[in-house]
């Protein structure tokens, strides 16, 4: 039976409540230190910041920054830079320098990892991921795919243009960029410890007051349980998964991450990928690209570049972790087995 928007949105909100639940693992672990948590619904997710109460002004500044970034980068908000660019009929569009810089970074990362293709918005619309999802006709998918391609984007200082009917969507990079910007605000305020969760883009600053590490949970696919935990300070932990935004048609699940080679939702044998690294923007892009590439090609990439550590949760109930995580990873579910 086809699932309509209601079910899709319900699943979406359930996924976010789980992510918030994970945040509750982040006990500040101290009786003496008061904390404050600020949250905003932006970029179609909950963005949450937890800091010591004395740093509440840093949290307020982060919330303002996230709102400002959404106003620039949203695909669906009329008047945003990305919205105006997408509906400009190929005309040169004036955009903020920050949007131009992020588009340039996205182009660079697309060259490094072609699976990360932020020019697929026309396909996301066709699949209905921003409204009522359903499986389109194959001919329509092929037609939409022919309009996509990052080579159709030109970015200059303060302007951009799109040719050939392409449309861009920074949904796989902007939350990571926002988390990077938030981490800079924390450092500029001299904050010692903090936890951010921007819809699955987590940043851990410092340790608990006791000196112990915070634990970051990875969700067990399609459940409300925690599959595993990771530890490590001053790092971004970003997860892309098939169980967060998806719909079911004809007994098959279709997720929101599209393989640019086919125009269909990615099917690489993974339930999720969690990327751990010091760069939030890169971590966001890597997790999306790895989800499409699958574990084997992603591990080859990591072994060559050493850009990050990662956890792959496979559809065969296996878990693969990179060497750098061996002492920082704890598997909590006996339904899954750690693989070499
Ligand atoms: P990620 O893996 O990080 O990203 C997947 C998302 O990237 C997909 O949902 C799609 O948007 C895009 N994408 C799909 N395939 C690829 C690919 N191969 N390469 C690159 N990107 C791909 N959602 C709404 O429904 N309504 C909104 O109004 C809305 N506004 C947003 C505004 C902003 C500024 C941002 C950052 C996001 C917004 N979103 C909105 C959500 C967004 O479209 C994505 O669904 C979301 O960012 C997915 O994040 P993720 O961490 O689950 O997955
Ligand atoms: Mg991403």
């Amino acid at each position: 039976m086809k699932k309509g928007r209601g079910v899709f949105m319900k699943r979406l909100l359930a996924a976010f409540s789980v992510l918030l639940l994970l945040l509750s693992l982040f006990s500040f672990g101290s009786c003496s230190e008061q904390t404050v948590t600020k949250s905003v619904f932006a970029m179609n997710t909950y963005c949450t910041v937890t800091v010591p109460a004395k740093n509440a002004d840093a949290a307020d500044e982060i919330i303002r920054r996230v709102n400002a970034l959404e106003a620039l980068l949203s695909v669906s908000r009329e008047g945003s830079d990305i919205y105006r660019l997408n509906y400009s009929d190929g005309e040169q569009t004036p955009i903020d320098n920050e949007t131009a810089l992020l588009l340039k970074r996205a182009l660079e990362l697309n060259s490094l990892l072609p699976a990360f293709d932020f020019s697929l918005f026309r396909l996301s619309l066709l699949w209905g991921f921003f409204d009522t999802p359903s499986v389109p006709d194959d001919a329509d998918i092929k037609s939409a795919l022919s309009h996509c391609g990052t080579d159709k984007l030109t970015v200059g200082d303060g302007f951009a243009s799109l040719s050939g009917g392409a449309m861009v969507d920074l949904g796989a990079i902007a939350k990571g960029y926002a988390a990077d910007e938030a981490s800079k605000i924390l450092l500029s305020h001299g904050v010692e410890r903090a936890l951010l969760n921007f819809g699955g883009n987590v940043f851990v600053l410092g340790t608990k007051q006791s000196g112990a590490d915070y634990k970051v949970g990875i969700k067990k696919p399609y459940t409300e349980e925690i599959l595993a935990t990771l530890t490590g300070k001053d790092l971004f932990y970003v997860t892309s998964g098939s169980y967060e935004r998806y719909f079911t048609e004809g007994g098959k699940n279709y997720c929101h991450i599209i393989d640019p080679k086919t125009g269909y939702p990615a099917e690489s044998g993974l339930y999720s990928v969690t990327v751990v690294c010091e760069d939030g923007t890169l971590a966001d892009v890597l997790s999306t690209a790895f989800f499409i590439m699958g574990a084997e090609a992603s591990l080859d990439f990591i072994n060559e570049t050493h850009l990050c550590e990662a956890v792959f949760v496979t559809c065969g109930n296996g878990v693969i972790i990179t060497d750098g995580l061996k002492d920082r990873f704890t598997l909590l579910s006996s339904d899954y087995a750690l693989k070499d």
Side-chain angles (χ1 to χ4, degrees), residues 116 171-176 201 238-240 257 281 283-289:
F116 165 72
I173 183 172
K175 280 186 280 152
N201 286 240
V238 180
T239 300
S240 283
I257 301 175
T281 311
D284 198 0
V285 165
L286 290 175
S287 68
T288 307

Side-chain angles (χ1 to χ4, degrees), residues 28-188:
F28 265 60
S30 154
C31 313
S32 55
E33 192 168 55
Q34 297 290 311
T35 65
V36 58
T37 296
K38 307 252 173 164
S39 204
V40 62
F41 192 81
M43 305 191 275
N44 204 40
T45 189
Y46 290 101
C47 296
T48 303
V49 186
T50 302
V51 288
K54 64 182 181 198
N55 300 123
D57 50 346
D60 288 335
E61 191 177 329
I62 287 170
I63 300 293
R64 285 196 297 277
R65 186 85 173 98
V66 167
N67 281 327
L69 284 172
E70 177 172 30
L72 287 180
L73 305 175
S74 170
V75 270
S76 51
R77 198 195 275 202
E78 279 186 41
S80 80
D81 282 354
I82 298 299
Y83 186 95
R84 287 185 299 101
L85 176 62
N86 279 339
Y87 295 97
S88 63
D89 282 330
E91 295 293 317
Q92 203 173 86
T93 307
I95 54 172
D96 194 274
N97 281 332
E98 188 164 27
T99 310
L101 283 174
L102 188 58
L103 284 170
K104 285 180 187 169
R105 179 101 200 266
L107 280 171
E108 280 166 25
L109 290 168
N110 167 252
S111 310
L112 183 68
L113 292 142
F116 165 72
D117 185 337
F118 60 102
S119 73
L120 304 178
F121 186 54
R122 200 170 273 283
L123 274 164
S124 296
L125 288 177
L126 181 67
W127 279 90
F129 283 119
F130 285 77
D131 187 8
T132 307
S134 65
V135 181
D137 287 340
D138 186 61
D140 292 337
I141 292 172
K142 294 213 161 61
S143 165
L145 195 54
S146 72
H147 291 286
C148 301
T150 53
D151 56 331
K152 299 182 171 70
L153 172 68
T154 306
V155 191
D157 293 336
F159 74 88
S161 59
L162 282 165
S163 63
M167 297 172 101
V168 291
D169 164 18
L170 297 176
I173 183 172
K175 280 186 280 152
Y177 176 73
D180 266 333
E181 291 301 296
S183 72
K184 287 182 199 160
I185 292 171
L186 292 171
L187 295 180
S188 73

